[in-house]
Amino acid sequence: GEQVEQRPPHLSVREGDSAVIICTYTDPNSYYFFWYKQEPGAGLQLLMKVFSSTEINEGQGFTVLLNKKDKQLSLNLTAAHPGDSAVYFCAVSLTSGGNYKPTFGKGTSLVVHP
Amino acid sequence: GGIITQTPKFLIGQEGQKLTLKCQQNFNHDTMYWYRQDSGKGLRLIYYSITENDLQKGDLSEGYDASREKKSSFSLTVTSAQKNEMAVFLCASSIAQGGGERLFFGHGTKLSVL
């Protein structure tokens, strides 16, 4: 089945620096890609959903890159601020329809120092 | 908007005890999930349900039972709590079980076993 490796497990940056989290997946048929953010004591909140057809996806203060050739998904927080401190998870799933559940990475704990 | 409510927020049990966690959603979503979150291990799927009275085993179902008697609620039972067990259990829902559907998460139930 699908395997998702996420790195690094822990990341510490200063305010204003960039922070990059990378996920590598194994199934070439993977089609939907998600980034979730989990703040302390809370559930996961969707940051962005990415389709297989789009390589660069821009959100508010972050960019998600999809490299299908290398089967890699990355989240780049361009100028991190303390409010970005959280645990981030990637998730990958196959095409829509049928019995396809997302496979999650193990998470990255990000700390942004003022 | 909707909300997912998990009860209780904190659960302390004794070794060997049967413990039940509850989850309610008012999104009117078809699919509901139970995940276990352990530090360094990410999210592992325990059970999911694609409709009322349906149950599907995830990767970590041994030692757990689940029940979906109503569309809006999904409960999870730890059949025999393990000594020193500590984990967060997250409930989630999605509109359907297609691979492209985002998940909405509750805030979690934190389990500690004495």
Side-chain angles (χ1 to χ4, degrees):
Chain A
E2 173 85 88
Q3 305 281 326
V4 177
E5 296 287 331
Q6 184 173 343
R7 65 178 196 274
H10 304 281
L11 185 54
S12 179
V13 301
R14 290 194 176 278
E15 186 171 6
D17 287 350
S18 65
V20 180
I21 303 169
I22 295 174
C23 284
T24 307
Y25 58 95
T26 55
D27 193 326
N29 295 315
S30 296
Y31 194 81
Y32 292 102
F33 306 86
F34 305 82
W35 282 103
Y36 288 90
K37 177 182 180 181
Q38 184 182 34
E39 294 180 342
L44 280 67
Q45 297 266 355
L46 182 72
L47 267 184
M48 183 173 277
K49 171 180 164 181
V50 175
F51 294 84
S52 179
S53 54
T54 309
E55 291 187 341
I56 301 173
N57 302 266
E58 293 191 9
Q60 205 162 2
F62 62 89
T63 303
V64 171
L65 299 177
L66 175 62
N67 179 338
K68 288 192 289 182
K69 175 176 163 290
D70 295 335
K71 295 198 279 297
Q72 202 169 77
L73 176 75
S74 65
L75 172 67
N76 185 346
L77 290 100
T78 45
H81 56 86
D84 291 329
S85 297
V87 181
Y88 292 82
F89 292 92
C90 63
V92 177
S93 64
L94 301 175
T95 53
S96 62
N99 189 16
Y100 299 124
K101 306 170 295 299
T103 301
F104 284 84
K106 291 186 178 178
T108 296
S109 176
L110 171 66
V111 175
V112 182
H113 299 281
Chain B
I3 191 168
I4 295 185
T5 303
Q6 289 188 237
T7 55
K9 279 192 173 176
F10 300 96
L11 183 55
I12 298 176
Q14 302 284 338
E15 184 183 9
Q17 197 175 0
K18 182 187 275 191
L19 302 166
T20 297
L21 292 69
K22 294 187 185 294
C23 177
Q24 295 262 15
Q25 53 98 359
N26 63 0
F27 289 102
N28 199 33
H29 283 169
D30 287 321
T31 307
M32 296 185 75
Y33 309 77
W34 275 108
Y35 286 91
R36 177 179 164 130
Q37 183 176 17
D38 294 276
S39 179
K41 293 186 180 174
L43 273 66
R44 291 181 288 174
L45 183 64
I46 306 171
Y47 267 98
Y48 68 104
S49 165
I50 62 173
T51 189
E52 188 177 321
N53 292 319
D54 174 75
L55 289 176
Q56 310 275 346
K57 290 184 178 181
D59 302 319
L60 204 69
S61 60
E62 193 169 327
Y64 301 94
D65 287 327
S67 173
R68 182 100 183 267
E69 292 174 3
K70 291 193 300 186
K71 186 176 181 180
S72 62
S73 66
F74 193 28
S75 62
L76 180 73
T77 298
V78 180
T79 54
S80 178
Q82 302 297 303
K83 189 175 172 66
N84 296 325
E85 183 175 6
M86 198 181 298
V88 175
F89 292 84
L90 292 172
C91 176
S93 71
S94 63
I95 292 174
Q97 60 149 349
E101 302 298 340
R102 63 171 285 191
L103 271 59
F104 292 80
F105 284 84
H107 283 207
T109 292
K110 192 167 188 176
L111 170 67
S112 298
V113 181
L114 305 176

